[in-house]
């Protein structure tokens, strides 16, 4: 199972970061990779740094299990859970690619306050405000189930916390300041991570 998890992570990295940044550069002249931003110790910095650490942990956890350093949690080692994990990981990869393509030229990893990108409300973004983050969580949950050791579960928990921080404390205030009433109307009608959930009805 660790070899499966590492293979899925490799595909995820090549498509979600490598191929997509190449496509972005070809289309716009910018890779879209902004890295960790914000002042050291700020919410933006913690969200970005925590996200990067979570990604590293997701890779290290199955590698250590493969090396025999970490053992999986016995109660979570069942064929149906591992198969479910693989399915979730594949769905996460496919959903990520779909959402990234729907985002078009506005796709970024990280934020640059000096940039002004269009507010995407079409395609999957008409149903969910943060579908790329949703698919990241689906993928992360899948990997944690494929190699369910303690470090993998910690990595998924860290991913969940840092995505919540990034969206609620960094991106939503930024987009509200840039797009104003358009964004307020968007948050009032479209869910944050899943359809209908996380709308902000008083943001008018």
């Amino acid at each position: 199972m660790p070899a499966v998890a590492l293979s899925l992570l490799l595909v995820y990295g090549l498509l979600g970061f490598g191929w997509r940044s190449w496509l972005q550069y070809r289309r716009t002249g910018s890779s879209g990779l902004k890295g960790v931003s914000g002042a050291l110790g700020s919410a933006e910095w913690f969200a970005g740094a925590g996200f990067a650490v979570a990604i590293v942990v997701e890779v290290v956890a199955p590698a250590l299990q493969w090396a025999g350093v970490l053992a999986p949690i016995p109660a979570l080692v069942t064929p149906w859970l591992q198969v479910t994990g693989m399915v979730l990981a594949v769905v996460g990869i496919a959903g990520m690619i779909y959402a990234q393509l729907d985002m078009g030229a506005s796709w970024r990893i990280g934020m640059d306050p000096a940039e002004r990108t269009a507010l995407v409300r079409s395609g999957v973004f008409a149903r969910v405000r943060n579908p790329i983050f949703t698919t990241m969580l689906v993928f992360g949950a899948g990997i944690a189930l494929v190699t369910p050791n303690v470090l993998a579960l910690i990595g998924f928990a860290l991913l969940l916390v840092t995505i919540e921080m990034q969206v609620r404390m960094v991106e939503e205030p930024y987009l509200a300041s840039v797009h104003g009433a358009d964004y307020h109307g968007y948050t009032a009608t479209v869910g944050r991570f899943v359809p209908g959930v996380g709308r902000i009805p008083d943001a008018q």
Side-chain angles (χ1 to χ4, degrees):
M1 284 296 107
V4 173
L6 290 170
S7 298
L8 289 166
L9 283 160
L10 178 61
V11 172
Y12 185 87
L14 289 174
L15 293 178
F17 296 93
W19 171 77
R20 189 59 183 86
S21 62
W22 171 82
L23 182 63
Q24 186 75 1
Y25 183 81
R26 184 179 177 185
R27 288 177 173 177
T28 69
S30 169
S31 68
L33 301 175
K34 304 304 176 182
V36 178
S37 55
L40 182 65
S42 66
E44 184 178 352
W45 183 86
F46 273 115
F51 178 78
V53 171
I55 296 298
V56 171
V57 171
E58 279 195 326
V59 175
V60 171
L64 291 180
Q65 185 171 318
W66 199 6
V69 177
L70 285 177
I73 299 170
L76 298 178
V77 181
T78 60
W80 73 269
L81 277 178
Q82 273 70 73
V83 170
T84 299
M86 287 186 281
V87 171
L88 287 174
V90 171
V91 169
I93 292 171
M96 172 196 62
I97 294 170
Y98 186 87
Q100 286 182 337
L101 291 175
D102 269 359
M103 200 170 187
S106 294
W107 179 80
R108 296 289 186 276
I109 293 179
M111 285 179 51
D112 182 352
E115 285 188 328
R116 294 293 184 269
T117 56
L119 179 62
V120 181
R121 301 183 61 172
S122 59
V124 69
F125 288 86
R127 302 294 302 277
V128 180
R129 300 200 306 269
N130 302 283
I132 294 175
F133 283 137
T134 300
T135 60
M136 284 182 176
L137 291 171
V138 171
F139 177 82
I143 293 299
L145 288 176
V146 173
T147 52
N149 59 60
V150 171
L151 186 60
L153 298 181
I154 290 173
F156 177 69
L158 181 59
L159 180 67
L160 176 61
V161 170
T162 53
I163 283 178
E164 287 280 2
M165 286 181 62
Q166 177 70 20
V167 169
R168 295 172 184 266
M169 302 173 66
V170 180
E171 294 195 2
E172 289 182 348
Y174 166 75
L175 291 170
S177 69
V178 172
H179 298 287
D182 285 344
Y183 186 68
H184 292 318
Y186 184 45
T187 61
T189 56
V190 178
R192 183 179 278 117
F193 296 112
V194 296
V197 179
R199 291 179 294 186
I200 310 175
D202 61 340
Q204 302 294 333

